[in-house]
Amino acid sequence: MTITFDENQSKARAVRRLAFSAFADGRTLVAAPHLAFPGVDHIAREGTGYRWIPIEYANRTVAATSLDAQ
């Protein structure tokens, strides 16, 4: 994957392939603020490519309040 603003598209593609592979293998959390909230997710291998897997988000304040009420 490359974008118009990549100065060297071949190099950008190679770097992204390495990064996606490392992120998927390490189950690394990836932050992407331009994606839907919370924008922190995992990348997983799928077929010959990758899939974006959103983390499950819960409001910690609400969750803690719920626990206190029990």
Side-chain angles (χ1 to χ4, degrees):
M1 170 182 17
T2 61
I3 59 173
T4 302
F5 301 108
D6 289 330
E7 195 171 305
N8 182 330
Q9 291 196 349
S10 296
K11 187 172 184 175
R13 184 180 300 109
V15 168
R16 288 187 184 107
R17 282 184 178 153
L18 287 172
F20 277 37
S21 179
F23 295 156
D25 291 346
R27 222 168 129 65
T28 305
L29 283 175
V30 178
H34 57 283
L35 295 178
F37 181 82
V40 178
D41 309 301
H42 294 281
I43 294 174
R45 293 180 189 277
E46 183 171 81
T48 59
Y50 297 91
R51 183 166 64 107
W52 189 250
I53 304 173
I55 62 167
E56 190 172 316
Y57 173 78
N59 184 324
R60 291 172 44 169
T61 303
V62 172
T65 303
S66 297
L67 289 175
D68 290 341
Q70 292 178 5

